[in-house]
Amino acid sequence: MKKKSFTILLTALLTLSMALSACSGGGGNKEATADPSAAPANTGKDETTSAPEEPTKITIMLPLNTTETPPDTIKNEIEKLTNTKLTYQFFPADTYEEKLNTSFATGSLPQVTYLKNSTTFIQMKEAIKDGQFWEIGPLLSEFPNLSKLKPEILNNTKVDGKLYSLYIGRPLARQGMIYRKDWADKLGLGAPTNVDELFAMAKAFTEQDPDGNGQNDTTGVADRNELVYGAFKTVSSWFGTPNYWGTKDGKLAPEFTFQQYIDTMDFFKKLRDGGYMNQDFAATSKTDAVNMFTSGKAGMYIGGSMQDIDSLHKDLIKNVPDAVLDTHSMVAGPDGKFAQWMIPGYNNIVLFPKSAIKDEAELKKILAFFDKMMTPEVANVMYWGIEGVHYTVVDGKAKAAEDKELIEREVKGFKDSVIGESETNGMYEPYNELPGRIHAEELILENVKVGVADPTAALDSPTYMEKGVELQQIITDATYQYMYGQIDKAGFEKAVEDWMNRGGAKIVEEYNAAAAAQ
């Protein structure tokens, strides 16, 4: 009985196996063909879809302009949007050049290397010429968004006519003055229309008790130990000084050989001698200068960016709740003309070391990440943060959240690395409510109309690359010494002569030769 039952079961199993084999289309028979009229089986899978592409791994080195390394909140969003696995190496901006030089010397720069500013770019030019970084110019046409970068700014970052870098765009002329409008109104002063009225405002803010406390505890100008982004260069441009270099007798000459540079030094010497600015400005950090202004003890903050009015206002009203700030930039020189010095259109650049990127295929994957960065979706995340957390959209513009500390902590580190500008990457323009900031944005557009470009921005001087920073220190020291009354005009001219003899004359020669060759 058991044997019969087993036989019946075996027969059933063999029959079922044959039936399943027939239904499968004879997979084991190489000569069997499927019925072309039969509909394909629905397996629930898209047979034409390939496996998801692996995220591109990219390591990025960049300066950090905040006190703390940001958390991964923004990085995680960027990775999702760009299909990347990102490693950010943040290093404090104050010591970034040292880290940059050490990493370069040891061959340990990562795939994506941000510089610090235009000065570090100049210092890196020799290495670029030596073939240490990838040329990317011929590849940009393959990337629709990178192709939108402004040619006139790209040209300012070329080395020997070749493009190796992407740029972080900035308005051409953001500088001007931020001042206590409530003080000016109390003293019956309007915004200064010329350099004489600028001096008069500084004097009044010092001597006429603008804060009304009956004490001699205010000063006109809060300045810092920075000739370019402090007050000096901005006021110098108002006096008509060329932007780093100008034309004299048909030849390029450095700015400090012009009379307007001397006039600017005289202006600051007179301010300091009168007590109308902080006496130790040559040794004052930016933080200390800002604190002097936001504590309510100084009436003007000149240079840098008028857009800083947001942060200055936020901190000032903690100490002086009724304070009112405004911005201004149209200050005529002794000749009655307006002028503003301009940057070359970028705040920083990014390079791609050959020591870290093995071939062009890898380079293209990294450039593809930057191409995605230049979409509104990614650019907004990097620049503004997460909508509803760090900002909201009002009238088609980004309105930053009230929690400035959150934005500073989570977004600022990434904001400083966004390629291009709103015109090219499509990110939101800012929504401003502070009247002084709205005024600043209007003035930035006006500044460009009287803007003065640096004629050497796209020129190369091998001697400047080798000795420029060292030689500039001669002029910087002499400029401060003159304004402090430690040397006179003859002493300053001796410093200029020293600059010439130690390599400056060669720089002049090389820049003029490069200009003639264009």
Side-chain angles (χ1 to χ4, degrees):
M1 180 70 179
K2 290 180 181 180
K3 183 177 181 181
K4 183 176 180 181
S5 298
F6 175 78
T7 302
I8 293 173
L9 177 60
L10 180 61
T11 302
L13 288 172
L14 287 172
T15 302
L16 177 62
S17 175
M18 292 176 64
L20 290 173
S21 177
C23 290
S24 69
N29 183 354
K30 292 182 181 181
E31 295 188 14
T33 57
D35 180 358
S37 64
N42 183 2
T43 63
K45 297 181 180 179
D46 183 355
E47 301 295 339
T48 63
T49 301
S50 58
E53 186 177 347
E54 284 292 314
T56 301
K57 295 181 179 179
I58 304 175
T59 302
I60 302 169
M61 174 179 170
L62 70 168
L64 181 66
N65 292 297
T66 59
T67 56
E68 298 179 8
T69 300
D72 289 344
T73 310
I74 301 301
K75 182 180 82 82
N76 293 340
E77 290 298 314
I78 299 169
E79 289 178 335
K80 292 176 191 175
L81 294 169
T82 60
N83 191 33
T84 52
K85 186 66 176 175
L86 304 174
T87 300
Y88 278 93
Q89 298 176 347
F90 288 102
F91 297 99
D94 289 345
T95 57
Y96 190 74
E97 288 177 80
E98 180 182 343
K99 179 62 181 179
L100 186 68
N101 292 333
T102 301
S103 298
F104 175 73
T106 57
S108 58
L109 289 175
Q111 298 153 296
V112 175
T113 301
Y114 282 80
L115 302 187
K116 183 180 178 181
N117 49 37
S118 58
T119 300
T120 52
F121 172 43
I122 291 170
Q123 294 172 341
M124 200 63 73
K125 280 188 176 181
E126 199 59 42
I128 294 172
K129 289 182 177 182
D130 194 40
Q132 300 293 316
F133 298 91
W134 283 95
E135 180 188 0
I136 64 170
L139 303 178
L140 292 194
S141 60
E142 299 180 26
F143 300 94
N145 298 311
L146 292 179
S147 297
K148 297 174 184 176
L149 289 169
K150 295 179 179 181
E152 64 271 23
I153 299 177
L154 290 174
N155 286 338
N156 286 338
T157 70
K158 286 183 177 179
V159 178
D160 284 346
K162 297 179 179 179
L163 183 67
Y164 297 84
S165 58
L166 301 175
Y167 69 83
I168 295 87
R170 289 293 183 272
L172 292 170
R174 297 185 295 171
Q175 66 279 356
M177 59 182 285
I178 300 169
Y179 71 101
R180 289 289 297 273
K181 187 176 186 302
D182 56 325
W183 284 9
D185 290 345
K186 178 181 178 181
L187 301 179
L189 300 173
T193 63
N194 55 51
V195 289
D196 289 337
E197 291 181 7
L198 178 68
F199 185 89
M201 177 177 277
K203 182 179 180 181
F205 281 176
T206 305
E207 297 180 343
Q208 297 183 26
D209 191 24
D211 60 359
N213 68 355
Q215 300 179 31
N216 184 24
D217 60 352
T218 59
T219 191
V221 180
D223 196 20
R224 55 186 167 119
N225 57 350
E226 169 59 71
L227 289 181
V228 176
Y229 297 106
F232 185 84
K233 190 169 180 65
T234 295
V235 174
S236 182
S237 73
W238 293 341
F239 269 88
T241 308
N243 186 4
Y244 292 112
W245 289 74
T247 303
K248 181 187 290 188
D249 300 325
K251 297 287 186 179
L252 287 172
E255 62 182 352
F256 47 82
T257 63
F258 287 75
Q259 179 59 42
Q260 293 92 332
Y261 192 95
I262 303 290
D263 294 340
T264 306
M265 291 194 297
D266 286 334
F267 180 86
F268 278 93
K269 183 179 185 304
K270 189 178 176 183
L271 274 180
R272 183 176 182 274
D273 289 349
Y276 309 142
M277 67 182 299
N278 49 314
Q279 296 293 288
D280 59 345
F281 67 96
T284 302
S285 68
K286 179 180 180 180
T287 299
D288 288 342
V290 166
N291 289 340
M292 188 184 309
F293 187 81
T294 57
S295 68
K297 297 305 179 184
M300 282 186 275
Y301 187 83
I302 303 174
S305 168
M306 291 183 289
Q307 294 168 326
D308 290 340
I309 189 173
D310 287 323
S311 59
L312 293 179
H313 176 264
K314 176 178 69 72
D315 291 336
L316 174 61
I317 60 175
K318 292 177 184 177
N319 299 308
V320 189
D322 296 330
V324 178
L325 295 182
D326 201 358
T327 49
H328 185 63
S329 64
M330 290 297 149
V331 180
D335 60 0
K337 295 181 180 178
F338 296 103
Q340 301 288 348
W341 71 278
M342 297 193 300
I343 65 171
Y346 64 91
N347 182 55
N348 198 0
I349 65 164
V350 57
L351 294 170
F352 307 93
K354 286 185 176 179
S355 60
I357 301 174
K358 63 180 182 297
D359 54 31
E360 190 175 281
E362 183 181 351
L363 175 63
K364 287 184 177 181
K365 286 186 176 182
I366 295 170
L367 290 177
F369 162 68
F370 282 97
D371 193 64
K372 291 175 183 175
M373 186 193 294
M374 284 193 64
T375 60
E377 187 178 25
V378 180
N380 281 327
V381 168
M382 294 187 70
Y383 194 88
W384 293 108
I386 299 171
E387 186 177 354
V389 177
H390 303 104
Y391 76 99
T392 54
V393 179
V394 180
D395 295 337
K397 296 181 178 182
K399 180 181 178 181
E402 293 295 326
D403 192 343
K404 307 303 181 187
E405 285 74 17
L406 177 69
I407 296 172
E408 180 88 357
R409 185 172 63 254
E410 296 189 349
V411 184
K412 173 68 173 170
F414 301 95
K415 177 178 184 175
D416 293 340
S417 68
V418 177
I419 297 300
E421 52 275 292
S422 58
E423 303 100 297
T424 55
N425 60 32
M427 67 185 180
Y428 290 120
E429 294 280 0
Y431 177 83
N432 298 308
E433 294 180 289
L434 190 66
R437 176 59 188 275
I438 295 171
H439 191 201
E441 296 299 329
E442 295 168 351
L443 289 170
I444 288 170
L445 298 178
E446 292 300 311
N447 282 352
V448 176
K449 297 177 183 178
V450 294
V452 178
D454 173 7
T456 66
L459 302 179
D460 285 334
S461 162
T463 305
Y464 184 83
M465 283 186 278
E466 179 186 354
K467 299 181 177 180
V469 175
E470 169 194 339
L471 292 178
Q472 180 57 41
Q473 194 60 49
I474 297 173
I475 302 302
T476 298
D477 290 344
T479 300
Y480 283 125
Q481 289 166 1
Y482 185 101
M483 293 187 291
Y484 270 48
Q486 296 169 352
I487 61 173
D488 57 10
K489 185 176 180 182
F492 184 78
E493 289 174 344
K494 186 178 183 302
V496 173
E497 183 180 352
D498 189 28
W499 183 89
M500 290 287 187
N501 292 337
R502 291 171 60 177
K506 190 68 174 175
I507 294 174
V508 174
E509 177 186 330
E510 289 168 355
Y511 272 141
N512 277 285
Q518 282 193 335

